[in-house]
């Protein structure tokens, strides 16, 4: 059965692994394969194969990432939940041949759908970036 705590723990683990560009095999156990949908500002991906392409691309673009979870609000119905997540995302990006990198700082508003993993944890089944609110002075995507 899903709990607010298990969903918050999923968000904490997810973002901590994104921050350090953990090996992809450490992120796959947090998301389903068949039926996974992830909607980012630049692309919509499906399943682990789609996630691999997206992940391998973004870890080569963004660095010095810091994700700070601001809120996780879950509407739990049995073994599934709809979750509103707000995360502050900071990252540096360098675009060749520019002389300097740029810093992005924004709040990302997201909607997740999760399900129980059967062992007291949660898995992401759908992940939608609803919008980005850039902080003053931030670079943009």
């Amino acid at each position: 059965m899903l709990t607010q705590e298990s969903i918050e723990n999923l968000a904490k683990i997810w973002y901590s692994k994104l921050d350090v560009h953990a090996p992809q095999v450490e992120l796959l156990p947090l998301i389903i394969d068949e039926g996974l949908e992830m909607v980012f500002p630049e692309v919509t991906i499906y399943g682990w194969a789609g996630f691999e392409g997206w992940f391998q691309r973004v870890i080569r673009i963004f660095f010095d990432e810091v994700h700070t979870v601001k809120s996780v609000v879950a509407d739990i119905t049995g073994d599934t939940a709809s979750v509103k997540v707000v995360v502050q995302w900071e990252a540096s990006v360098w675009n060749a041949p520019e002389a300097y990198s740029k810093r992005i700082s924004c709040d990302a508003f997201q909607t997740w759908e999760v399900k129980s993993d059967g062992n007291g944890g949660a898995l992401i089944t759908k992940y939608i970036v609803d919008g980005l609110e850039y902080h003053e002075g931030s670079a943009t995507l």
Side-chain angles (χ1 to χ4, degrees):
M1 182 172 191
L2 284 176
T3 64
Q4 178 71 31
E5 182 180 7
S6 67
I7 295 167
E8 288 173 359
N9 191 51
L10 171 63
K12 177 182 164 187
I13 293 168
W14 176 257
Y15 290 118
S16 69
K17 291 187 180 296
L18 289 179
D19 281 348
V20 299
H21 294 183
Q24 181 180 318
V25 296
E26 293 182 20
L27 288 152
L28 293 179
L30 305 176
I31 58 178
I32 66 166
D33 181 11
E34 190 171 326
L36 176 69
E37 179 180 6
M38 301 182 96
V39 181
F40 300 101
E42 72 281 12
V43 69
T44 298
I45 59 105
Y46 301 95
W48 284 359
F51 177 77
E52 178 180 9
W54 173 83
F55 184 70
Q56 294 304 318
R57 187 177 140 270
V58 297
I59 63 173
R60 287 164 174 77
I61 295 172
F62 302 110
F63 58 98
D64 295 334
E65 290 189 80
V66 178
H67 292 84
T68 304
V69 178
K70 295 177 105 174
S71 67
V72 176
V73 179
D75 181 14
I76 302 169
T77 306
D79 286 340
T80 63
S82 177
V83 186
K84 291 294 187 181
V85 177
V86 180
V87 62
Q88 180 177 315
W89 175 53
E90 297 180 42
S92 295
V93 61
W94 177 71
N95 296 305
E98 293 176 358
Y100 300 99
S101 64
K102 295 178 183 172
R103 190 76 176 160
I104 297 169
S105 180
C106 65
D107 289 339
F109 297 87
Q110 304 175 353
T111 302
W112 295 8
E113 290 180 13
V114 302
K115 72 174 190 174
S116 171
D117 69 359
N119 295 311
L123 299 169
I124 297 169
T125 62
K126 192 171 196 174
Y127 182 108
I128 301 170
V129 177
D130 299 312
L132 302 173
E133 187 176 287
Y134 291 98
H135 299 171
E136 187 176 332
S138 173
T140 60
L141 293 174

